[in-house]
């Protein structure tokens, strides 16, 4: 089995997990953990070096902009989530440059692909979230790893719930990335995710 864990035990990581758990339901929280795990597993397979804590914290809070307390009536959800990350990490004592990196990683996960050479943590969050939302690349991951991850962090109807959230964003903010994502056939891709067919 691939030796990748889906938890990180640092003060910042624990704080991110705690905040994510307070503001998201179990389905969205599990998605955030799985997104990090798929990203870390991909990084290991491809020999990519990255800032583990930065990626973990960004992954855990990347969808807080979809939750009612942090939903912005003007900003796309990923931008709202990026601002939440800046505030959280300021409270954790992160320097300004590192706080800005967390924001950028979250914003870019809904943008065009970023290569690992350009920005490895942004690339990894894109890979991890795409794997978990629509199953892209999951067949390349170690199946024992994937089964263990799903057993510990089950999907709990995540696909349909996530599509409802992004559809709401698209309807209210027609110029946002979520609107383009929904228009591009996201519902069918989410419904076809092989992770939802695994035990």
């Amino acid at each position: 089995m691939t030796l990748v864990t889906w938890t990180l035990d640092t003060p910042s990581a624990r704080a991110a997990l705690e905040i994510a758990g307070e503001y998201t339901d179990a389905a969205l929280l599990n998605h955030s953990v799985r997104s990090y795990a798929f990203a870390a597993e991909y990084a290991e397979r491809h020999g990519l070096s990255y800032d583990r804590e930065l990626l973990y914290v960004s992954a855990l809070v990347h969808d807080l902009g979809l939750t009612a307390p942090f939903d912005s009536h003007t900003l796309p959800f990923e931008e709202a989530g990026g601002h939440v990350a800046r505030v959280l990490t300021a409270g954790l004592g992160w320097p300004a440059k590192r706080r800005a990196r967390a924001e950028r990683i979250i914003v870019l996960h809904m943008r065009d692909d970023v290569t690992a050479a350009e920005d490895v943590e942004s690339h990894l969050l894109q890979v991890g979230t795409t794997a978990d939302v629509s199953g892209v690349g999951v067949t390349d991951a170690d199946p024992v790893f994937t089964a263990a991850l799903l057993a510990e962090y089950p999907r709990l109807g995540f696909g349909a719930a996530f599509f409802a959230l992004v559809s709401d964003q698209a309807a209210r903010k027609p110029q946002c990335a979520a609107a383009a994502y929904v228009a591009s056939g996201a519902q069918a891709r989410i419904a076809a995710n092989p992770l939802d067919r695994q035990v």
Side-chain angles (χ1 to χ4, degrees):
M1 182 171 86
T2 303
L3 297 175
V4 172
T5 61
W6 38 79
T7 59
L8 192 63
D9 190 22
T10 69
S12 293
R14 290 193 298 271
L17 179 60
E18 182 176 353
I19 292 300
E22 288 180 6
Y23 286 100
T24 62
D25 62 16
L28 198 58
L29 177 62
N30 286 2
H31 159 67
S32 298
V33 175
R34 289 191 309 264
S35 294
Y36 167 77
F38 281 124
E41 197 274 348
Y42 174 94
E44 181 176 281
R45 280 189 286 115
H46 290 83
L48 297 176
S49 297
Y50 64 99
D51 184 325
R52 190 171 299 274
E53 183 180 68
L54 177 61
L55 177 63
Y56 183 86
V57 169
S58 300
L60 265 289
V61 303
H62 82 276
D63 275 343
L64 286 184
L66 290 172
T67 66
F70 301 115
D71 184 16
S72 169
H73 71 284
T74 56
L75 294 177
F77 81 89
E78 67 277 13
E79 292 182 20
H83 288 295
V84 173
R86 283 189 83 119
V87 172
L88 170 65
T89 54
L92 294 170
W94 286 23
K97 186 175 180 180
R98 188 168 170 81
R99 296 196 305 268
R101 286 284 296 118
E103 178 186 20
R104 175 178 167 80
I105 291 164
I106 291 169
V107 169
L108 289 181
H109 96 277
M110 284 295 290
R111 299 296 193 262
D112 292 336
D113 286 342
V114 177
T115 67
E118 292 172 307
D119 184 333
V120 68
E121 289 85 14
S122 293
H123 176 71
L124 290 173
L125 187 59
Q126 287 177 340
V127 167
T129 56
T130 302
D132 195 62
V133 171
S134 56
V136 173
V138 295
T139 56
D140 297 329
D142 184 325
V144 177
F145 165 82
T146 301
L149 178 63
L150 292 176
E152 189 161 350
Y153 295 95
R155 292 186 64 78
L156 306 174
F158 166 71
F162 180 75
F163 184 73
L165 289 170
V166 294
S167 294
D168 175 65
Q169 293 283 316
R172 291 187 290 114
K173 307 168 195 176
Q175 302 305 313
C176 73
Y181 174 67
V182 169
S184 72
Q187 186 171 24
R189 294 193 300 275
I190 291 170
N193 190 337
L195 295 175
D196 288 322
R197 295 192 293 274
Q198 291 190 231
V199 177

